[in-house]
Amino acid sequence: MGFMPTISRDEVAHLARLARLDLREDELDHYAEQLDIILASVARVAEVAAADVPATSHPIPLTNVMRADVARVWLTAEEALSGAPASDGRRFRVPRILDEE
Amino acid sequence: MQQHLTRLSAADIAAAISDGDVSATEVTRAHLDRIAEVDERVHAFLHIDDEGALATAAAVDAKRKAGEPLGPLAGVPLALKDVMTMRGIPTTCGSRILEGWRPPYDSTVVERLRAADVVILGKTNMDEFAMGSSTEHSAYGPSHNPWDLDRIPGGSGGGSAAAIAAFEAPLAIGTDTGGSIRQPAAVTGTVGVKPTYGGVSRFGLVALASSLDQAGPCARTVEDAALLHAAIAGHDPRDSTSLTDPVPAVVEAARRGDVRGLRVGLVKELSGEGYQAGVTQRFNEAVDILTELGAEVVEVSCPHFDYALAAYYLILPAEASSNLARFDGMRFGLRAGDTGELGVEEVMSLTREAGFGAEVKRRIMIGTYALSSGYYDAYYGQAQKVRTLIQRDFAAAFEQADVLISPTAPTTAFRIGEKVDDPIAMYLNDVATIPVNLAGNCAMSLPIGLAPEDGLPVGLQIMAPARADERLYNAGAALEAALRDRWGHLLIEEAPAL
């Protein structure tokens, strides 16, 4: 099979950054090899002549599904925070979000 | 009596409870005992809710005593795939990132099961976030196939299928994004149905790929699957993709089982090379049986199915990479590296690195790649066009046939460890099941015998158009009855004692 490298180790590192995955060095090597093979395999979709074919993003066409804008009881603050790694009882507590590059 | 209760169908259990021959509590205890006896070896369950199950059973018994009417599944035990939220009960999706999370709400499926007085025994094992065909990608270790404990029970819903095949529960809920209900059913000798997309609410189903995900029933008989299907299906305003159509008459169809004059299409592209000899042999025998029963068998061609796997492994990772962005260590689940010095993005990256397993990271990166500028049109855009062509192939085939059939999976259950680090080999398990998810229509897998070369179950897939789920149950029931006549029992009764 004509095998064409499609992704480099640097590109994998870039993807990992975009996807917020702090990959280890050995993972970068491993994934570079595997993603190359997977992407070469899925690139087959390009063989299909489909220039004039519309795209399908959703299997059953439904448009503008709306519901009435009615307030209802849902989770309490306590319930919503029940699975949080950190909270102050009223809000989610998160690491600092400012002063970053 | 205790052992016997775990061998009954859901329909028979419900009848026995309603008739007062046995209490729901006795039925539940028998299944909890069975789990205690065999699950150390099968590992179908990640969490057992004895207390909740017995409380539901007691409520059913009280209802009966009070003379209140009982529904068709009242008191029947069920195993729930761990991708479905259930208030207060751990929901991990087979991932470390959700270890210990107890959702504060019920999924719609769980709400409907509660309304039907179904006894939920616990949560079943799965490949992490439903990515896989073997349960080997579960962070909590694989489940084992009751037919041969060294083999996979399929995936991602291998825990649900194994629980049923091991007689730990007569019913289970699965979810099917590319075959995760049907392939486990095939390799465990059980029945599994992927309903029409939108037929069962996705509210409370932790999303893998939102345009493909669909929950459905797992059972040991076609009738049981239909009863469960009817209990969980129907419009839900909390899922904007939920169909508003009435639920197809699946129970009636399962009780009819008549294929005389039914046009059955053999899909040319889902056969031949890559299919194990014994799978093909059993499949051909089943085709002969359908002909004997009066079905009209024709061959159909769906040329773009050859590209379904490639399109799927672009569309699924693209949607998954977006859906899994919610696991950021801020609102629920794991948080790693939050020492007070690091910023939010570093904490997110450390959390996701620590919380996700290898297959999840692989697919997130493929999806990120497919959606990145410069590649979007060539990969994701083109895959969506292939999706249209696959829908057109189905539409043309359904002009010639009422249902289509194929083997469910190309092989019987493989050995644990055999394909775990070979993603392409693993992905090929889903070659016959994926087209249905891409098109949004419905399909069933049911057992048709054991492959002569390895003595393991083979599944046959029936596919029907969107909103025509009843056709699956009609054809499936006919084939099941004919095979049962031939064997004198269900295939699952040949499974080795555990």
Side-chain angles (χ1 to χ4, degrees):
Chain A
M1 197 174 98
F3 178 70
M4 198 176 62
T6 49
I7 189 162
S8 67
R9 193 179 184 282
D10 285 349
E11 282 178 285
V12 173
H14 177 64
L15 288 177
R17 268 194 303 278
L18 289 176
R20 304 284 181 269
L21 291 168
D22 189 35
L23 294 186
R24 300 184 311 266
E25 291 299 310
D26 61 312
E27 284 183 298
L28 287 174
D29 293 331
H30 191 56
Y31 285 132
E33 199 181 304
Q34 284 189 333
L35 294 196
D36 215 29
I37 296 169
I38 294 168
L39 289 170
S41 162
V42 296
R44 291 195 67 212
V45 293
E47 294 168 17
V48 181
D52 53 352
V53 175
T56 294
S57 61
H58 203 273
I60 310 282
L62 295 166
T63 41
N64 297 339
V65 176
M66 309 288 246
R67 64 166 171 76
D69 185 15
V70 178
R72 65 197 169 95
V73 178
W74 181 228
L75 300 180
T76 63
E78 194 189 332
E79 285 169 331
L81 293 166
S82 63
S87 76
D88 72 356
R90 296 268 309 146
R91 288 159 295 193
F92 295 101
R93 185 184 287 282
V94 302
R96 82 184 144 73
I97 54 171
L98 298 174
D99 295 320
E100 290 192 287
E101 288 183 74
Chain B
M1 186 66 184
Q2 285 258 306
Q3 178 71 11
H4 171 66
L5 289 174
T6 62
R7 312 286 295 190
L8 295 177
S9 69
D12 287 346
I13 288 174
I17 291 170
S18 160
D19 292 347
D21 296 338
V22 66
S23 72
T25 303
E26 286 172 283
V27 169
T28 300
R29 281 198 194 284
H31 284 89
L32 290 170
D33 287 351
R34 174 73 180 167
I35 292 167
E37 185 193 335
V38 302
D39 206 55
E40 206 174 303
R41 281 165 287 152
V42 178
H43 193 228
F45 286 88
L46 292 178
H47 179 83
I48 312 286
D49 182 24
D50 323 43
E51 217 174 285
L54 287 166
T56 306
V60 170
D61 289 334
K63 261 191 181 180
R64 189 186 171 275
K65 222 171 176 179
E68 287 177 48
L70 296 179
L73 288 178
V76 177
L78 173 140
L80 184 68
K81 190 176 178 182
D82 203 26
V83 71
M84 202 58 90
T85 62
M86 181 169 169
R87 189 184 167 91
I89 300 297
T91 299
T92 68
C93 298
S95 182
R96 288 281 171 220
I97 212 160
L98 279 179
E99 193 168 9
W101 181 57
R102 291 174 186 261
Y105 68 101
D106 278 340
S107 56
T108 297
V109 165
V110 166
E111 226 171 56
R112 292 191 178 173
L113 292 171
R114 289 192 201 275
D117 290 320
V118 170
V119 174
I120 301 174
L121 297 170
K123 308 292 292 289
T124 57
N125 195 21
M126 56 186 282
D127 287 291
E128 185 174 3
F129 288 108
M131 298 184 195
S133 308
S134 70
T135 69
E136 292 169 287
H137 295 309
S138 166
Y140 306 99
S143 299
H144 299 263
N145 191 321
W147 289 82
D148 176 347
L149 296 172
D150 293 330
R151 292 179 188 261
I152 60 104
S156 66
S160 284
I164 288 173
F167 296 93
E168 294 172 277
L171 297 176
I173 294 291
T175 59
D176 192 313
T177 304
S180 288
I181 290 175
R182 291 164 285 158
Q183 180 257 7
V187 301
T188 58
T190 57
V191 178
V193 176
K194 185 208 97 72
T196 297
Y197 182 84
V200 175
S201 171
R202 291 186 297 108
F203 180 79
L205 160 60
V206 180
L208 168 54
S210 306
S211 79
L212 303 164
D213 296 343
Q214 184 58 211
C218 313
R220 290 190 292 261
T221 69
V222 171
E223 186 192 17
D224 281 2
L227 288 166
L228 182 54
H229 188 141
I232 59 174
H235 182 64
D236 178 12
R238 291 176 298 187
D239 172 2
S240 64
T241 60
S242 167
L243 296 177
T244 51
D245 309 57
V247 178
V250 292
V251 176
E252 293 76 359
R255 288 174 180 159
R256 190 166 61 244
D258 181 359
V259 293
R260 282 174 297 173
L262 188 79
R263 297 173 305 158
V264 175
L266 300 181
V267 183
K268 196 171 78 145
E269 287 75 11
L270 302 180
S271 66
E273 205 191 330
Y275 288 80
Q276 189 180 321
V279 169
T280 301
Q281 185 187 331
R282 292 297 176 235
F283 178 74
N284 291 338
E285 289 167 8
V287 173
D288 291 341
I289 293 173
L290 285 167
T291 308
E292 282 164 32
L293 292 172
E296 204 182 297
V297 177
V298 296
E299 190 178 83
V300 300
S301 176
C302 297
H304 297 96
F305 283 18
D306 289 343
Y307 298 93
L309 195 68
Y312 177 84
Y313 277 102
L314 287 164
I315 292 169
L316 176 134
E319 294 190 20
S321 66
S322 166
N323 274 325
L324 269 59
R326 65 169 59 88
F327 300 102
D328 56 8
M330 299 300 130
R331 290 154 297 161
F332 34 68
L334 182 75
R335 179 182 293 180
D338 188 14
T339 55
E341 278 123 57
L342 298 179
V344 72
E345 293 207 359
E346 288 160 296
V347 171
M348 275 183 199
S349 298
L350 289 167
T351 298
R352 290 161 64 82
E353 168 64 13
F356 288 144
E359 179 65 11
V360 173
K361 291 179 198 169
R362 248 190 310 263
R363 294 204 200 179
I364 287 175
M365 284 191 290
I366 294 167
T368 306
Y369 183 82
L371 292 176
S372 43
S373 64
Y375 300 111
Y376 185 95
D377 288 342
Y379 284 104
Y380 185 63
Q382 179 74 3
Q384 287 189 315
K385 291 179 172 188
V386 171
R387 193 170 185 179
T388 306
L389 293 168
I390 287 165
Q391 279 193 330
R392 289 180 185 172
D393 279 359
F394 267 120
F398 284 127
E399 284 186 8
Q400 295 169 260
D402 302 305
V403 295
L404 306 178
I405 60 170
S406 75
T408 308
T411 68
T412 56
F414 49 90
R415 287 200 169 72
I416 291 173
E418 206 176 310
K419 302 182 181 178
V420 70
D421 205 32
D422 184 350
I424 296 284
M426 192 69 95
Y427 297 170
L428 280 169
N429 285 297
D430 302 330
V431 71
T433 46
I434 277 172
V436 164
N437 299 83
L438 289 172
N441 47 334
C442 56
M444 165 188 287
S445 177
L446 77 159
I448 53 167
L450 304 177
E453 60 268 44
D454 54 23
L456 292 167
V458 175
L460 176 138
Q461 174 177 231
I462 306 170
M463 297 165 268
R467 302 177 167 92
D469 306 49
E470 74 284 354
R471 291 188 201 174
L472 308 173
Y473 289 94
N474 177 42
L479 186 54
E480 179 187 62
L483 288 166
R484 207 169 180 170
D485 279 349
R486 185 171 289 205
W487 299 327
H489 52 253
L490 291 171
L491 186 69
I492 194 67
E493 287 165 59
E494 292 181 33
L498 287 165

